Amino acid sequence: MTTEIWHNPRCSKSRAAKAALDEAGIAYTERRYLDDPPTAEELDAVLTRIGAEPWEVARLNEPVAKELDLKNMERDRARWIEVMVANPVLIQRPIVLTGDGRAVVARDPDSVRRVLDSE
């Protein structure tokens, strides 16, 4: 498996992570997850790789999160995953999946650096 980035080109942090991968010469595939949302099984596997629950990587300030009152939704992993798959804008970005089975939400330079240092 190669490195993959779940990317939203409109997001500056996502663009910065992608640029860091490019600059480091790391080969990767780009998944524009808003256009190609993950399945529930894929998101569940990625969350497991990250070591996080869905509510820990949800974008709670998105309008749809407020409409769904996501902050107050019961913390049922399967239900949160279902909601996030149906509304992929709720998935924190960017997510970098490494070839060795790790994953990280790469929103800051330290997270990106951890990915780069291991490749």
Side-chain angles (χ1 to χ4, degrees), residues 16-31:
K18 187 175 175 222
L21 292 173
D22 289 338
E23 188 174 303
I26 295 175
Y28 62 90
T29 58
E30 177 183 334
R31 181 173 188 170

Side-chain angles (χ1 to χ4, degrees), residues 1-117:
M1 177 182 182
T2 61
T3 297
E4 179 176 80
I5 182 169
W6 288 12
H7 175 64
N8 176 356
R10 294 182 57 205
C11 170
S12 62
K13 295 194 184 281
S14 192
R15 290 191 310 269
K18 187 175 175 222
L21 292 173
D22 289 338
E23 188 174 303
I26 295 175
Y28 62 90
T29 58
E30 177 183 334
R31 181 173 188 170
R32 293 186 178 193
Y33 72 98
L34 295 178
D35 300 325
D36 180 17
T39 65
E41 293 78 18
E42 287 174 318
L43 183 55
D44 185 48
V46 166
L47 289 168
T48 298
R49 286 170 68 177
I50 292 171
E53 293 297 336
W55 46 86
E56 295 171 332
V57 298
R59 296 179 55 82
L60 297 177
N61 290 326
E62 290 292 331
V64 69
K66 292 176 182 177
E67 290 170 22
L68 295 169
D69 194 23
L70 210 54
K71 285 183 181 179
N72 295 312
M73 192 168 87
E74 180 183 346
R75 292 201 167 171
D76 174 283
R77 183 178 172 102
R79 177 68 183 127
W80 274 74
I81 288 172
E82 178 183 311
V83 168
M84 292 170 79
V85 166
N87 303 280
V89 72
L90 295 173
I91 301 170
Q92 195 60 261
R93 60 185 181 257
I95 296 176
V96 177
L97 311 166
T98 64
D100 65 5
R102 293 173 302 108
V104 63
V105 178
R107 291 194 55 77
D108 59 73
D110 288 337
S111 297
V112 175
R113 199 169 5 269
R114 282 196 309 270
V115 171
L116 297 177
D117 289 346

